[in-house]
Each structure stands twice: as C-alpha cells, then as structure tokens.
C-alpha cells in the first residue's frame, strides 16, 4: 500500500426497506470521500467483510435487539482489514484489525472498537467465522445455552452453514452419542457426514422433516440447535426426549416471509416432555471469549475441527453474496473479499 491515503471509497447503502425477499433496487453501491482518521481512531482498508442472516432483520424498520440499518447510510457488519493510517495509541500502519464497519472499502474506526488479529494463527477471514462471532455463537449456544453434556444426541438445522457446521463438530468432539444435521442439498449432506463427522444427515427438501429426523434419530434427541425455525422446530419438538433443550439461534425460514408461519403446531409437547426452548444472542456470552479462542485454536491446529468458507470476490458483488446466503448457496461462512477489488 502506498503512503498516499485514498480520497474516496465505495460503500453499500440501504435505500429502501425490503418487503419479503430483498431486491437489487433496495441497495446502492455509492462512492464517498475518505479522510484521515480523527483523534483516537484508525483508517482501515477492508480486506474481507461478513454477510450474515441477522442482517435481513436489520433491514426492517422495527425495534429489535440491534438497531435497524438507516436508509441512505452505509450498512455495517463484521470486517477485517489493514490499518492504513493511525491516530490512536497501540495501532500502527500495517496492523490487521477486526471491527464492525463492513460493507465498505475503507472504514474510519474508533480504536476501542478495533481488535488486533494475528494472520499467523489463522487466515484473516477466519476471524469473521470460525474464530469470530459465528464460532462463538456455536460454542456458547451449545455449551452454555443448551447445557450440552457428554452422551447427548444433537440435531442441528442449517448444519452446513457457518454456525451449524461448528455446532455439530463441537458436539462430536465433546462426546455426543449422535450428531444429526439437516441441509438443503445432497452435496451439503455428503459434506456433513464425510468431512464434518456427523453421524447422519438429510436433505430437508427430500420429504417431511419430521419423518426424516425420526429415521435419523430413532432414539430421539436431547439437544436441538435451531437456525431455521418453522417445520424444523416442529420436528425437533416431536423427536425430543424428556428434558430436551433447544437453542433458538435463528429462524431463516421466516426472515423473508410476508405471512406468519403456522409451525410449530405441537408446542403442547413442551409440557409433558419438560422441554427448554431458549433464545440466544451471542453478545450475552462475551465472557466465554478467552476459553472459546483457546479451545477452538487447539481444535483447529489438531485437525479435530474443520471449516469451510464461501468467498465472493469484489465489493460490487456484496448484495449478490447476501442474497446467495439467504438462498443457502453458501457452504460454511459467506465472506466478501475486497483483497483484489481495487
């Protein structure tokens, strides 16, 4: 990178609130001026940014656990980049940092919102996935929220995604009696059993989820990690053993729905089975971060934990990457790479 700072950079803006599935006309890629960082801030050239299912909810103008995206403003999200100018103690040009201003080429970030990351431990993009928010979501959701214990049978929906694939492997590493996953293609099903070590997996498009789950888990399940909601949650409730626990992490089946989902229709079973269904937000579990990094770094170096990324090249393809994520076109973490885009 030359010493001359950039004068402008591109950023994705939300220009209209989607109704149902997002349309290209709801978004605009715009050029904006880039200036030197203010006091206590750094200027970062983004190398990778993350697109995640939760971002669909932020496109609606509703009160939620995270504020909605503002119209005609750059969107944000996880990103990793290189410091190109620093006006903050402890950060030097050339440092790599993780921060929250994705969806753009250049980000001016307060130093307290930037975390240095080490490219010698793992590829930089891994800090957006397996060693980042998605990895911690899997770790906290399985071990803390679902109170996983050795011998539990675990079912994961959206199991080939960034979070789901980690949940299944972590359960296997920690002694699950059986790990079952659902995914949306035969190729992903094969990946779950052959590469990630799931005991069984099925394509939810091949037939009713309830029937396929019952076949894959004849002795029932103890833990369900829910990334999908709807029919999957209904099926899990049917398959739960007494005192089963569900971590409700995401409901991607409903994110673009314009009508309420009828499922699950069997909630009465929660009573007799004494089930626990608990929602989770990863931000509640930051205290686990040191243990999470230590455990996952060890599992990665030993080869016990594997991960995949789907990388889309170029900031101009950011919207397509997000839409592809909602359609399930990714395997593992969906990443947008800006490394060679400019």
């Amino acid at each position: 990178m030359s010493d001359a700072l950039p004068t402008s950079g591109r950023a994705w803006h939300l220009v209209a609130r989607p109704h149902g599935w997002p349309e290209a006309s709801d978004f605009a890629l715009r050029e904006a001026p880039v200036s030197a960082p203010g006091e206590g801030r750094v200027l970062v050239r983004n190398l990778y940014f993350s697109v995640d299912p939760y971002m669909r909810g932020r496109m609606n103008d509703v009160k939620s656990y995270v504020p909605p995206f503002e119209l005609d403003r750059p969107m944000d999200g996880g990103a990793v980049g290189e410091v190109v100018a620093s006006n903050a103690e402890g950060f030097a040009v050339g440092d790599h940092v993780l921060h929250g201003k994705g969806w753009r080429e250049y980000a001016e970030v307060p130093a307290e919102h930037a975390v240095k990351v080490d490219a010698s431990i793992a590829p930089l993009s891994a800090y957006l996935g397996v060693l980042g928010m998605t990895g911690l979501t899997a770790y906290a959701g399985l071990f803390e929220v679902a109170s996983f214990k050795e011998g539990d049978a675990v079912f994961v929906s959206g199991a080939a995604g960034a979070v789901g694939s980690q949940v299944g492997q972590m359960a296997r590493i920690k002694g699950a009696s059986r790990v079952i996953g659902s995914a949306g293609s035969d190729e992903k099903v094969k990946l779950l059993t052959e590469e990630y070590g799931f005991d069984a997996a099925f394509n939810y498009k091949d037939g009713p989820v309830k029937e396929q789950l019952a076949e894959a888990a004849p002795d029932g399940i103890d833990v369900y990690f829910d990334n999908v909601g709807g029919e999957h949650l209904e099926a899990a409730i049917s398959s739960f053993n007494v005192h089963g626990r569900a971590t409700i992490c995401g409901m991607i089946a409903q994110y673009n729905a314009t009508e309420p989902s009828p499922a699950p229709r069997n909630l009465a079973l929660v009573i007799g089975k004494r089930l626990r269904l608990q929602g989770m937000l990863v931000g509640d579990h930051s205290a686990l971060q040191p243990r999470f990094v230590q455990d996952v770094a060890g599992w990665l170096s030993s080869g016990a934990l594997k991960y995949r990324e789907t990388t889309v090249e170029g900031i101009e393809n950011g919207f397509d990457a997000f839409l592809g994520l909602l359609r399930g076109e990714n395997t593992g973490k969906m990443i947008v790479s800006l490394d060679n885009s400019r």
Side-chain angles (χ1 to χ4, degrees), residues 37-272:
E39 182 71 33
R41 301 170 76 92
V42 293
L43 181 64
V44 181
R45 177 172 69 97
N46 283 339
L47 299 173
Y48 303 95
F49 70 80
S50 174
V51 291
D52 300 282
Y54 81 87
M55 293 173 175
R56 176 61 188 86
R58 294 192 66 189
M59 292 169 188
N60 301 329
D61 190 13
V62 293
K63 200 169 182 180
S64 184
Y65 61 89
V66 62
F69 290 128
E70 293 181 54
L71 292 180
D72 294 307
R73 300 279 301 159
M75 295 188 293
D76 51 39
V80 174
E82 179 186 359
V83 174
V84 293
S86 174
N87 197 2
E89 215 174 297
F91 290 89
V93 170
D95 284 347
H96 291 117
V97 294
L98 172 69
H99 62 89
K101 291 192 176 291
W103 289 93
R104 66 196 81 185
E105 289 180 303
Y106 291 93
E108 198 216 3
V109 184
E112 65 265 27
H113 295 162
V115 177
K116 281 195 217 180
V117 293
D118 188 345
S120 69
I121 293 175
L124 290 172
S125 57
Y127 291 96
L128 296 173
V130 64
L131 279 171
M133 183 181 75
T134 50
L136 182 58
T137 301
Y139 189 90
L142 180 65
F143 298 126
E144 197 155 82
V145 181
S147 311
F148 171 86
K149 58 186 186 298
E150 190 177 348
D152 280 343
V154 177
F155 171 46
V156 187
S157 59
V163 173
S165 59
Q166 303 302 306
V167 172
Q169 292 182 82
M170 289 174 182
R172 174 180 51 74
I173 289 166
K174 286 293 192 177
S177 60
R178 191 164 177 79
V179 179
I180 303 112
S182 75
S185 74
D186 293 343
E187 186 184 8
K188 289 180 180 179
V189 166
K190 192 175 172 185
L191 177 74
L192 292 176
T193 55
E194 293 186 5
E195 188 168 327
Y196 293 153
F198 282 61
D199 296 289
F202 59 86
N203 182 342
Y204 66 82
K205 296 172 183 173
D206 285 350
V209 176
K210 182 178 173 181
E211 292 173 17
Q212 295 197 76
L213 177 58
E215 190 178 333
D219 297 324
I221 60 171
D222 304 295
V223 168
Y224 172 46
F225 197 102
D226 191 9
N227 292 305
V228 176
E231 187 189 358
H232 278 79
L233 179 55
E234 186 172 297
I237 290 170
S238 289
S239 280
F240 264 131
N241 296 321
V242 172
H243 297 302
R245 289 93 64 206
T247 294
I248 313 296
C249 178
M251 292 200 171
I252 200 166
Q254 280 120 289
Y255 287 168
N256 298 300
T258 53
E259 297 294 329
S261 166
R265 295 160 296 194
N266 57 349
L267 278 173
L269 292 176
V270 170
I271 304 164

Side-chain angles (χ1 to χ4, degrees), residues 298-333:
W299 295 335
L300 287 173
S301 64
S302 72
L305 187 69
K306 299 179 172 69
Y307 69 97
R308 290 270 190 108
E309 293 174 347
T310 299
T311 304
V312 173
E313 301 288 342
I315 190 170
E316 64 278 3
N317 295 313
F319 168 71
D320 291 338
F322 178 67
L323 202 59
L325 172 80
L326 294 180
R327 289 177 175 151
E329 292 168 7
N330 58 304
T331 300
K333 186 79 190 74

